[in-house]
Amino acid sequence: MKDEDKTKEQLVTELKKARLGIAKLEVSEEASEVERRQSEQKMFEYEELDRLKGNLLSTVSHELRTPLAIIKGYSTMLVDYDRKLKTREKQEYLRSIDAATDRLTELVDHLLDLSRLEAGLLILKKKPSSILNLIQEAVSEANLRVPAHKITAEVREALPTVEVDTRRIRQVLDNLIDNAIKYSGEGTRVVVESGYLNSEVWVSVADQGVGIPAEDLERVFDRMYRIKQRLSPDAGGLGLGLTICRRLVEVHGGRIWVESELGKGSTFYFTLPCKQAEVRVEL
Amino acid sequence: MTRTHETKTILVIEDEAEVRNFTCRVLELEGYRVLQAWDTEEGMRMLRDGQTSLVLLDLTLPRRDGWAVLEQMKSEPGLSSIPVIVFTASAGVSQRDRALSMGAADYLVKPISANGLKDSVAHVLRQER
């Protein structure tokens, strides 16, 4: 049938159908646009993941090779130059080899911890614990390890018991204290404080070190994030310590953050929840 | 220490204290005079003092990395002829190719033995004669 032979009603019906068809086409175009954007986003995420994996591999390779270089270098020196080296020097190299193996062990532990945390495979062995005892143990051991710093625990109030995996919370404390030492000068103070507020126990670790630039404060807990301008010549490592601390605090239901002033020092805080019903105050 | 090798001066630019110590000590035991720097700026300042016969260069340095040293050395007439041995923890082939194409005389990947280090330095200095 030709258009001129159609009734007005038939033409209106066909027009409606045509409009509906166009609308459907527009909807499908919009859908494909959404799909296109989604696949672009996925592609971007894959590329980002690939880049991160590449970075991780090269950083891990670099950080493993440095202590290996110390071990290989000094051990071959001890063999090849045995007659030219004095006993004291040999002992110094053996101590360096020992320290480098500790560094390697820590790197491997960090990688395993992070993998377990990210895969949700870390099993916490929680039990009611005294945060004060954990702080005192950590401070006491840090003072033995690094006598050049003055590390003190200052807890002025009675604290409730917390339900934590003590080994993992010690790991957080040790990491924060070691970071404070690493980024501050010999003879300066590192103060660990703790208190109780709003059903949470809080712990802070403050140093008088180089501080963190304001633009880096949010990112220091990111995996492998390193402040662009390395502030300490000996600040090696994978940059996983604070990431692991954050994950460990979070799996305990707490929070972690940092406040800092460049050139004056940094204070890291973390909290651990206390269920009101379970609060038992230490006296 | 008895000086051999006509007391050549080697500049070691390395930020990792223990690796720097190992490198410098091996070279001293081999009779070289050794200068050491832990970053690019200090290294460039020592280079411009004009005594260096060879540079052992780490690539991962604070602030400006080792690539910047290599680039700057090759563009400065007074420094461009000084041989550079890159001594790095970066094992990638592309990094190696890049360093050699920029004029590095050798590319050593950590870890390396005392003998490996000694042999590379001796080989590069022999080629420079």
Side-chain angles (χ1 to χ4, degrees):
Chain A
M1 190 189 290
K2 288 178 184 172
D3 281 353
E4 53 265 34
D5 300 328
K6 289 178 185 169
T7 63
K8 191 182 170 188
E9 286 74 23
Q10 280 173 323
L11 285 169
V12 168
T13 308
E14 281 181 16
L15 186 63
K16 277 182 184 168
K17 279 183 184 168
R19 278 185 181 153
L20 194 64
I22 289 168
K24 276 183 183 166
L25 196 64
E26 281 172 354
V27 168
S28 99
E29 274 176 3
E30 272 173 28
S32 58
E33 176 65 13
V34 169
E35 275 171 17
R36 191 182 62 78
R37 280 188 198 151
Q38 280 173 345
S39 62
E40 272 179 9
Q41 178 63 26
K42 269 191 184 156
M43 186 69 85
F44 175 76
E45 283 166 11
Y46 285 139
E47 282 171 2
E48 187 66 8
L49 196 64
D50 214 35
R51 194 183 60 78
L52 278 174
K53 273 162 75 181
N55 280 356
L56 179 71
L57 271 179
S58 64
T59 309
V60 168
S61 162
H62 181 271
E63 290 305 321
L64 290 176
R65 281 175 187 278
T66 302
L68 283 174
I70 296 166
I71 295 167
K72 179 87 172 173
Y74 283 139
S75 57
T76 52
M77 250 181 101
L78 286 166
V79 174
D80 297 339
Y81 297 93
D82 181 50
R83 289 185 184 173
K84 290 185 177 178
L85 300 174
K86 291 181 178 160
T87 308
R88 191 196 288 175
E89 196 177 357
K90 288 180 194 172
Q91 283 175 346
E92 187 189 311
Y93 296 159
L94 287 169
R95 272 194 293 273
S96 296
I97 291 170
D98 184 37
T101 52
D102 286 346
R103 187 168 155 185
L104 271 178
T105 308
E106 186 186 281
L107 286 171
V108 172
D109 285 346
H110 275 186
L111 283 169
L112 288 174
D113 279 349
L114 194 63
S115 304
R116 287 193 194 110
L117 280 161
E118 291 195 334
L121 295 173
L122 189 86
I123 297 163
L124 293 178
K125 292 173 184 161
K126 285 186 181 181
K127 60 177 184 185
S129 316
S130 155
I131 194 75
L132 181 61
N133 286 352
L134 288 177
I135 291 172
Q136 283 171 338
E137 283 168 16
V139 166
S140 167
E141 285 178 26
N143 274 313
L144 288 175
R145 208 167 51 242
V146 197
H149 275 74
K150 295 169 190 162
I151 309 153
T152 53
E154 295 180 11
V155 181
R156 295 187 187 84
E157 60 179 309
L159 297 174
T161 301
V162 284
E163 181 91 2
V164 295
D165 183 327
T166 50
R167 188 169 83 86
R168 294 303 181 177
I169 295 304
R170 260 301 299 275
Q171 188 179 343
V172 173
L173 276 167
D174 289 346
N175 201 300
L176 295 181
I177 293 172
D178 284 347
N179 258 8
I181 292 163
K182 194 191 277 184
Y183 290 99
S184 60
E186 286 188 0
T188 58
R189 294 185 70 208
V190 173
V191 181
V192 185
E193 291 181 87
S194 185
Y196 176 63
L197 184 71
N198 298 334
S199 305
E200 285 181 320
V201 165
W202 59 266
V203 179
S204 67
V205 179
D207 65 57
Q208 300 173 315
V210 289
I212 301 165
E215 64 270 24
D216 291 307
L217 283 176
E218 286 294 314
R219 300 186 61 193
V220 291
F221 297 100
D222 288 357
R223 184 157 67 155
M224 282 176 11
Y225 181 73
R226 282 241 171 268
I227 294 166
K228 269 178 273 172
Q229 191 172 354
R230 276 169 65 178
L231 298 167
S232 163
D234 295 322
L238 272 179
L240 296 180
L242 286 176
T243 310
I244 292 167
C245 284
R246 182 177 63 185
R247 301 277 167 92
L248 285 175
V249 168
E250 284 172 356
V251 292
H252 278 87
R255 297 166 292 129
I256 188 166
W257 71 97
V258 58
E259 292 171 6
S260 184
E261 198 174 339
L262 208 54
K264 293 198 172 172
S266 306
T267 305
F268 282 82
Y269 296 87
F270 71 90
T271 64
L272 295 166
C274 311
K275 284 180 188 165
Q276 207 59 282
E278 294 175 7
V279 167
R280 290 199 300 270
V281 176
E282 296 166 11
L283 291 171
Chain B
M1 180 61 59
T2 314
R3 304 271 187 216
T4 53
H5 317 285
E6 299 157 19
T7 320
K8 298 270 189 192
T9 300
I10 299 174
L11 170 62
V12 176
I13 309 177
E14 164 69 68
D15 65 331
E16 188 74 35
E18 291 282 14
V19 179
R20 191 171 64 240
N21 187 46
F22 148 69
T23 313
C24 292
R25 194 69 185 106
V26 168
L27 297 173
E28 277 170 6
L29 287 165
E30 285 301 311
Y32 297 105
R33 183 169 172 264
V34 183
L35 299 173
Q36 47 182 300
W38 81 275
D39 73 355
T40 309
E41 278 65 34
E42 201 182 2
M44 288 307 298
R45 185 178 55 74
M46 288 180 170
L47 262 172
R48 290 188 182 114
D49 284 348
Q51 301 171 20
T52 306
S53 305
L54 183 145
V55 178
L56 257 169
L57 176 67
D58 182 19
L59 289 178
T60 311
L61 296 168
R63 293 183 278 272
R64 291 167 66 219
D65 60 22
W67 295 109
V69 177
L70 196 55
E71 204 169 78
Q72 200 160 343
M73 279 184 71
K74 294 303 165 188
S75 67
E76 272 191 46
L79 307 179
S80 60
S81 61
I82 300 173
V84 178
I85 297 175
V86 170
F87 185 39
T88 176
S90 306
V93 176
S94 59
Q95 303 254 64
R96 182 192 178 87
D97 290 347
R98 183 181 168 200
L100 296 177
S101 72
M102 283 173 77
D106 201 354
Y107 189 92
L108 304 179
V109 178
K110 297 169 188 170
I112 192 166
S113 65
N115 269 334
L117 176 69
K118 177 189 84 178
D119 291 347
S120 171
V121 168
H123 177 72
V124 170
L125 284 174
R126 259 199 314 276
Q127 284 184 324
E128 291 300 310
R129 277 181 191 163

Coordinates of all heavy atoms in Angstrom, one line a residue, chain A residues 61-71 100 103, chain B residues 14 16 19 89 110:
Chain A
S61 N 62.2 -7.4 43.5 CA 63.5 -7.8 43.0 C 64.6 -6.9 43.6 O 65.6 -7.4 44.1 CB 63.4 -7.8 41.5 OG 64.7 -7.8 41.0
H62 N 64.3 -5.6 43.5 CA 65.4 -4.7 44.0 C 65.6 -4.8 45.5 O 66.8 -4.9 46.0 CB 64.9 -3.2 43.7 CG 65.9 -2.2 44.2 ND1 65.9 -1.7 45.4 CD2 67.0 -1.7 43.5 CE1 66.9 -0.8 45.5 NE2 67.5 -0.8 44.4
E63 N 64.5 -5.0 46.3 CA 64.7 -5.0 47.7 C 65.3 -6.4 48.2 O 65.9 -6.4 49.3 CB 63.3 -4.8 48.4 CG 62.9 -3.3 48.3 CD 63.9 -2.3 48.8 OE1 64.6 -2.6 49.9 OE2 64.1 -1.3 48.2
L64 N 65.0 -7.4 47.4 CA 65.7 -8.7 47.7 C 67.1 -8.7 47.3 O 68.0 -9.3 48.0 CB 65.0 -9.9 47.0 CG 63.5 -10.2 47.5 CD1 62.9 -11.3 46.7 CD2 63.5 -10.6 49.0
R65 N 67.4 -8.1 46.2 CA 68.8 -8.1 45.7 C 69.8 -7.3 46.6 O 71.0 -7.6 46.7 CB 68.9 -7.6 44.3 CG 68.5 -8.7 43.3 CD 68.4 -8.1 41.9 NE 67.8 -9.1 41.0 CZ 68.5 -10.1 40.4 NH1 69.8 -10.2 40.7 NH2 67.9 -10.9 39.6
T66 N 69.3 -6.3 47.3 CA 70.2 -5.4 48.1 C 70.8 -6.2 49.3 O 72.0 -6.3 49.4 CB 69.5 -4.1 48.5 OG1 69.1 -3.5 47.3 CG2 70.4 -3.2 49.3
P67 N 69.9 -6.8 50.1 CA 70.6 -7.6 51.2 C 71.4 -8.8 50.6 O 72.4 -9.2 51.2 CB 69.4 -8.1 52.0 CG 68.2 -7.8 51.3 CD 68.5 -6.8 50.3
L68 N 70.9 -9.4 49.5 CA 71.7 -10.5 48.9 C 73.1 -9.9 48.5 O 74.1 -10.7 48.6 CB 71.0 -11.0 47.6 CG 69.8 -11.9 47.9 CD1 69.1 -12.3 46.6 CD2 70.2 -13.2 48.6
A69 N 73.1 -8.7 48.0 CA 74.4 -8.1 47.6 C 75.3 -8.0 48.8 O 76.5 -8.2 48.7 CB 74.2 -6.7 47.0
I70 N 74.8 -7.7 50.0 CA 75.6 -7.5 51.2 C 76.1 -8.9 51.6 O 77.3 -9.1 51.9 CB 74.7 -6.9 52.3 CG1 74.3 -5.5 51.9 CG2 75.5 -6.9 53.6 CD1 73.2 -4.9 52.8
I71 N 75.2 -9.9 51.5 CA 75.6 -11.3 51.9 C 76.7 -11.8 51.0 O 77.7 -12.3 51.4 CB 74.4 -12.2 52.0 CG1 73.4 -11.7 53.1 CG2 74.8 -13.7 52.2 CD1 72.0 -12.4 53.0
A100 N 71.8 -8.6 57.3 CA 71.2 -8.7 56.0 C 70.2 -9.9 55.9 O 69.2 -9.8 55.2 CB 72.3 -8.8 54.9
R103 N 67.1 -8.9 57.5 CA 66.4 -8.0 56.6 C 65.6 -8.8 55.5 O 64.4 -8.5 55.2 CB 67.4 -7.0 55.9 CG 66.8 -6.0 55.1 CD 67.9 -4.9 54.8 NE 67.6 -4.2 53.6 CZ 68.4 -3.4 53.0 NH1 69.5 -3.1 53.5 NH2 68.0 -2.7 51.9
Chain B
E14 N 76.7 5.2 45.6 CA 75.8 4.1 46.1 C 75.2 4.6 47.4 O 75.8 5.1 48.3 CB 76.6 2.9 46.3 CG 76.0 1.8 47.2 CD 74.9 1.1 46.5 OE1 75.1 0.4 45.5 OE2 73.7 1.3 47.0
E16 N 73.2 2.7 49.5 CA 73.1 1.7 50.5 C 74.4 1.5 51.2 O 75.4 1.1 50.6 CB 72.7 0.4 49.9 CG 72.3 -0.7 50.8 CD 71.0 -0.6 51.5 OE1 70.0 0.0 50.9 OE2 70.9 -1.0 52.7
V19 N 76.4 -1.8 51.1 CA 76.9 -2.2 49.7 C 78.0 -1.3 49.4 O 79.0 -1.7 48.8 CB 75.7 -2.1 48.7 CG1 76.2 -2.4 47.3 CG2 74.6 -3.0 49.1
A89 N 70.6 -3.2 41.3 CA 69.8 -4.3 41.7 C 68.7 -4.5 40.7 O 67.8 -5.4 40.8 CB 69.2 -4.1 43.1
K110 N 73.5 -6.8 41.0 CA 73.6 -7.3 42.4 C 72.8 -8.5 42.6 O 71.7 -8.6 42.1 CB 73.2 -6.2 43.4 CG 74.0 -4.9 43.4 CD 73.3 -3.9 44.2 CE 73.9 -2.5 44.0 NZ 73.2 -1.4 44.6

